[in-house]
Amino acid sequence: MSPQPRGSRGTRGTNRRTVLAAGAAATAGVAAGPPASAAPAAGPAATEPTAPESGAPESGARGAGADGALDGPPATAQRPGRELRALLAEIDPDRIEADVRRLAAFGTRHTLSAQDDPERGIGAARDWIHRRLRRHAAASGGRMTVELQSYVQQPANRIPVPTRITNVVATLRGDTDPDRVYVVSGHYDSRASDVMDATSDAPGADDDASGVAIAMELARILATRRTAATIVLAAVAGEEQGLYGAAHMAEQFRVRGTRVQGMFTNDIVGSSTADDGTRDPHTVRLFAEGVPTAETPDEANTRRSVGGENDSPARQLARFVRDVAAGDATGMDVRVIYRRDRYLRGGDHIPFLERRFPAARFTEPAEDYAHQHQDVRVEDGKQYGDLPEFCDFGYIARVARVNLAAVWTLAQAPGTPTGAGIVTSALTNDTELVWDRGTEPDLAGYEVVWRETTAPEWTHVEPVGDVTRHTVPESKDNLFFGVRAVDREGRRSPVAFPVPRR
């Protein structure tokens, strides 16, 4: 039983304890014992949880206190199971290093560089990535396919002449819910100091061979595995010229009606050393927007009435990453940044956000601007240029583990609940939540989560069983609520933030 949030009505404590015990009983076999909350439980609901293969919520997770400070794992944290830990152990820093160095060796990968030279330019890099991904896919028994997703970009900003832009896309089709899709990408184009310079050396080791190497390493490892949902691993072009390749890929998903429930771009994830020489080798930043980029005027009016500036689909995706990918299994802390991207900057997740797909960006903890967007040169004894010797390949491997933990768990767990709402047909101090039941064959039930409005993480979790409606005896005026799905192995989905429903 979780402690009552500040301001909750103490006279209802016994009733809520009864509901929690009944909910736990209803989901027996789904998650043995109640999920961990802001403090140890009391009474009949306080049975000791076991550790299912997928990873139940962290035992003893403290989450965020009433003042919003995080003093332990979130209450929604999930321990990695044996299968995931085995997968994470397969990440190979040496392979990642070899991929980064090979990409840097193409001289330049500028979007406007040669497309038909077998040794130098973006065309040579494209063909090499395609061959490598096809080699990985050959081990999949037909479940992974690789395509060159190509179009001609007509003259536009930073594109002076019609230019073919090609994404290299590996798709691992899910077994039971293939129409639900998760995307991990990096961009394989590069640039020198002048963004229109297509001939000078632009090795692009950190920006962004590092992100491409992560997508390729995940393709190698996942090709022989089966997942419930579909995973897309992509190397996209045209990022430095204006996010062109990512926009084309996102638009293809939109036109086809694809249910993209999560997208991560890895861009500048190659170094743990800042421009002042300090190192932070165990932190990766995850940028996640608050107010949705694609919010409509009606949605904005609703948000202003009920709150939720910190509860966009991107923020729920970021919380999920912290839940499953931060800790000893990856060796990393995931520092969620409450911005769409770095200050006044952008990346390949933005075209997905513009099309209403949840998306976020991984980036190293502090950038060194001498080693990105710079001509290769030496000035006053200082080496400039985005060269492989300034990468930390062990660090890239740890970021790859964060990505793998996140996308593997997403693809094995149930999808994010749809239709989540708070019933507002009558004024009441209780909170009645409703949602649509998912269609996953191994769906076992749902959990309701909540937190103080000042808390960054969910602090309370209540199992409610295989139902589509539940009432919490707490006021929606004072707390934020959400709902997540649970499968029979105890895997949890990201949280869905409810909207008003009559």
Side-chain angles (χ1 to χ4, degrees):
M1 163 59 191
S2 303
Q4 291 175 221
R6 292 180 182 177
S8 61
R9 290 169 287 151
T11 56
R12 297 230 174 173
T14 301
N15 290 339
R16 194 175 73 217
R17 185 157 36 242
T18 301
V19 170
L20 178 54
T27 56
V30 178
S37 298
T47 56
E48 180 67 18
T50 60
E53 169 61 26
S54 69
E58 291 279 5
S59 176
R62 291 165 290 167
D67 61 355
L70 188 68
D71 61 355
T76 46
Q78 302 180 54
R79 291 192 302 272
R82 291 183 296 275
E83 185 176 18
L84 176 54
R85 286 184 179 272
L87 281 175
L88 297 176
E90 293 188 32
I91 296 287
D92 187 345
D94 292 337
R95 288 178 182 270
I96 288 172
E97 178 176 359
D99 288 345
V100 170
R101 291 188 180 279
R102 184 65 190 93
L103 285 165
F106 287 110
T108 179
R109 305 188 305 277
H110 194 283
T111 298
L112 303 177
S113 63
Q115 301 216 13
D116 54 2
D117 186 321
E119 302 296 332
R120 181 182 176 87
I122 195 166
R126 172 200 63 212
D127 294 344
W128 177 80
I129 295 168
H130 186 231
R131 288 194 299 272
R132 287 295 301 271
L133 288 178
R134 289 189 64 184
R135 188 184 312 164
H136 297 330
S140 72
R143 293 187 304 280
M144 179 179 283
T145 57
V146 180
E147 65 172 314
L148 294 172
Q149 184 186 77
S150 187
Y151 80 106
V152 175
Q153 174 62 50
Q154 295 303 314
N157 183 46
R158 297 184 176 182
I159 303 287
V161 296
T163 301
R164 181 164 296 279
I165 293 178
T166 303
N167 302 324
V168 190
V169 182
T171 301
L172 179 66
R173 183 175 173 82
D175 287 345
T176 59
D177 195 3
D179 294 333
R180 174 163 52 99
V181 173
Y182 302 96
V183 181
V184 176
S185 79
H187 71 85
Y188 71 97
D189 61 307
S190 65
R191 60 165 288 186
S193 297
D194 179 356
V195 73
M196 301 303 294
D197 180 355
T199 59
S200 296
D201 282 352
D206 191 0
D207 185 14
D208 183 38
S210 62
V212 173
I214 285 175
M216 294 175 68
E217 181 70 350
L218 265 59
R220 180 184 72 83
I221 292 169
L222 292 174
T224 58
R225 267 66 180 198
R226 292 184 176 275
T227 58
T230 294
I231 297 175
V232 172
L233 303 160
V236 303
E239 193 273 348
E240 301 289 7
Q241 304 310 110
L243 315 181
Y244 288 104
H248 180 69
M249 180 167 59
E251 182 63 12
Q252 295 305 300
F253 285 131
R254 188 196 67 80
V255 168
R256 297 169 187 167
T258 306
R259 287 190 297 130
V260 178
Q261 288 206 346
M263 182 272 184
F264 303 107
T265 183
N266 289 269
D267 195 353
I268 312 179
V269 290
S271 175
S272 60
T273 304
D275 52 2
D276 62 359
T278 59
R279 297 187 66 242
D280 187 359
H282 298 285
T283 299
V284 64
R285 292 184 290 175
L286 180 57
F287 288 87
E289 71 176 12
V291 176
T293 291
E295 184 179 65
T296 67
D298 284 346
E299 290 168 339
N301 285 334
T302 298
R303 175 180 51 76
R304 285 189 286 267
S305 296
V306 304
E309 293 82 0
N310 194 19
D311 283 283
S312 66
R315 289 278 164 88
Q316 307 304 345
L317 189 64
R319 290 187 178 109
F320 182 88
V321 174
R322 278 188 54 85
D323 283 348
V324 304
D328 68 292
T330 62
M332 293 293 275
D333 173 48
V334 179
R335 181 183 180 186
V336 177
I337 307 294
Y338 286 174
R339 281 198 172 100
R340 185 174 72 172
D341 207 310
R342 299 149 304 154
Y343 205 81
L344 294 178
R345 300 172 75 183
D348 283 328
H349 59 308
I350 293 177
F352 284 79
L353 294 170
E354 291 171 339
R355 291 159 178 81
R356 303 180 71 85
F357 298 132
R361 174 195 177 120
F362 286 110
T363 296
E364 62 199 31
E367 299 170 62
D368 185 342
Y369 303 108
H371 305 306
Q372 60 175 264
H373 297 186
Q374 293 281 351
D375 290 340
V376 179
R377 67 193 190 280
V378 176
E379 287 186 4
D380 298 325
K382 180 179 177 65
Q383 176 71 64
Y384 288 83
D386 192 354
L387 298 162
E389 52 260 43
F390 297 108
C391 287
D392 177 343
F393 300 106
Y395 176 81
I396 302 174
R398 288 190 292 278
V399 178
R401 292 187 186 105
V402 170
N403 277 262
L404 181 54
V407 74
W408 171 261
T409 309
L410 284 165
Q412 298 293 57
T416 305
T418 60
I422 289 178
V423 177
T424 59
S425 55
L427 290 175
T428 171
N429 283 317
D430 292 339
T431 300
E432 183 180 9
L433 295 105
V434 295
W435 56 89
D436 301 330
R437 191 183 189 280
T439 59
E440 294 88 353
D442 60 347
L443 180 65
Y446 293 88
E447 294 173 342
V448 169
V449 300
W450 67 91
R451 70 181 198 274
E452 292 283 341
T453 60
T454 54
E457 306 279 354
W458 300 110
T459 55
H460 292 65
V461 182
E462 182 175 323
V464 298
D466 191 0
V467 298
T468 57
R469 183 179 295 263
H470 181 71
T471 298
V472 179
E474 298 290 346
S475 174
K476 52 190 164 290
D477 294 341
N478 303 334
L479 303 167
F480 285 133
F481 292 89
V483 60
R484 65 178 182 175
V486 188
D487 71 11
R488 287 194 291 267
E489 296 297 322
R491 292 177 288 243
R492 273 82 175 164
S493 75
V495 170
F497 187 70
V499 297
R501 294 258 308 258
R502 289 193 173 274

